[in-house]
Amino acid sequence: MKGYEPVMSFGEDVAQMYRDVQRGDEMAAVAFLEQLAGPGPALELAIGTGRIALPLAARGIRVDGVDISPAMVDQLRAKPGGDQLSVTIGDFADVPVPGTYRLIFVVWNTLFNLLTQEDQVRCFENVAAHLTDDGSFVVEALVPAFLYRLRNNQHVDAEAIEVDEVRLDVLRHDAATQMLEESHVSLSRAGVRLNPVVQRYAWPSELDLMARIAGLRLKGRWGGWDREPFNSSSSAHVSVYGR
Ligand SMILES: C[S@@+](CC[C@H](N)C(=O)[O-])C[C@H]1O[C@@H](n2cnc3c(N)ncnc32)[C@H](O)[C@@H]1O
């Protein structure tokens, strides 16, 4: 998508929308992460509005964060406990923080917001440099198998049809570059509003090779936060990497 910058996807409007979003997996995710964090500290890459970081911190673990969007971090700051977390504004591929962590995690497919294989590998390498020897890097991401169901590598989904607004999700897939270009489009009397988001997806096996390049290896993989088995019908994976 020509002219696209990731920060465009997470401006003021979107940040307000994300403020109270719950996916329903929060309790299970926090329990899973708490176990790996031990005494901490933990670092969330792309912390956003703190959907996971805040309840994890409430369990007594120090949780730091990195995010590229000041608007998302403002929403985090406005929540109870949000001003207690150390959050660095920057690109999570750089892991731009000092020190080492017992747990580093990136959830909700956000690793794929890094738009090249090179940036994703760089992220693994920088994570490895910030992990304690017994530390874990947790990645939660989709499995791209659903792409085979697309017709002509595209889809348009009617997200809402109201008397005063229509919302569409418009997506195009490029199998050669592993890119998903998407826009959430709102049509109303107020005009047309576009929310573009671009991702570069990877299969779990490619992530495992990125980890190996970074000197890490896969320690465990599940189909979800409740440690469901990972198999050919899994639509997502929770993967744990370590030394
Ligand atoms: C879908 S939200 C997820 C937020 C949070 N992790 C959660 O689970 O609720 C994605 C977040 O990734 C951030 N983000 C996207 N690309 C980034 C990058 N290259 N570096 C840092 N943050 C990034 C966005 O600003 C946004 O806050």
Side-chain angles (χ1 to χ4, degrees):
M1 196 183 287
K2 209 170 158 212
Y4 174 79
E5 295 289 340
V7 74
M8 289 176 180
S9 301
F10 301 99
E12 300 284 346
D13 287 3
V14 176
Q16 266 184 35
M17 194 260 308
Y18 267 108
R19 183 183 54 199
D20 300 318
V21 164
Q22 296 280 296
R23 293 173 78 207
D25 65 349
E26 289 75 17
M27 270 174 61
V30 168
F32 186 102
L33 294 168
E34 182 185 19
Q35 210 172 37
L36 287 175
L43 174 70
E44 180 168 7
L45 305 181
I47 191 169
T49 61
R51 183 182 64 92
I52 300 295
L54 286 172
L56 185 60
R59 306 245 176 143
I61 296 161
R62 188 187 111 204
V63 184
D64 298 347
V66 176
D67 204 282
I68 206 166
S69 161
M72 292 289 276
V73 176
D74 284 349
Q75 294 295 342
L76 161 77
R77 293 274 182 239
K79 292 182 182 177
D83 56 347
Q84 307 291 310
L85 274 52
S86 167
V87 179
T88 303
I89 299 293
D91 185 342
F92 75 78
D94 297 329
V95 190
V97 290
T100 55
Y101 292 86
R102 176 81 177 265
L103 171 69
I104 302 180
F105 59 99
V106 59
V107 302
W108 203 351
N109 311 321
T110 306
L111 182 65
F112 301 157
N113 287 36
L114 301 179
L115 299 182
T116 62
Q117 186 189 57
E118 202 170 314
D119 280 351
Q120 293 174 2
V121 170
R122 190 159 58 87
C123 178
F124 271 87
E125 289 175 328
N126 285 321
V127 163
H130 286 278
L131 271 187
T132 58
D133 285 344
D134 57 353
S136 303
F137 178 39
V138 176
V139 177
E140 184 227 348
L142 60 82
V143 178
F146 72 95
L147 297 173
Y148 292 120
R149 293 202 299 271
L150 296 179
R151 207 168 42 170
N152 296 330
N153 277 311
Q154 304 189 352
H155 94 189
V156 177
D157 184 40
E159 288 187 324
I161 304 178
E162 310 290 350
V163 284
D164 54 356
E165 185 187 16
V166 168
R167 285 203 307 276
L168 304 173
D169 175 32
V170 183
L171 176 140
R172 188 171 58 189
H173 170 228
D174 184 327
T177 56
Q178 298 174 210
M179 300 298 279
L180 293 170
E181 296 181 325
E182 188 173 11
S183 191
H184 296 274
V185 182
S186 157
L187 307 168
S188 72
R189 283 193 201 285
V192 177
R193 216 181 53 230
L194 304 173
N195 268 326
V197 60
V198 180
Q199 294 198 309
R200 181 206 180 259
Y201 68 84
W203 289 88
S205 52
E206 186 183 355
L207 300 182
D208 297 349
L209 289 176
M210 292 183 190
R212 284 175 63 175
I213 289 170
L216 301 175
R217 64 188 177 83
L218 182 68
K219 293 256 178 103
R221 169 164 291 138
W222 291 271
W225 294 112
D226 286 320
R227 293 190 162 76
E228 301 90 327
F230 178 75
N231 57 36
S232 60
S233 49
S234 300
S235 57
H237 63 102
V238 173
S239 299
V240 180
Y241 298 96
R243 285 190 225 286

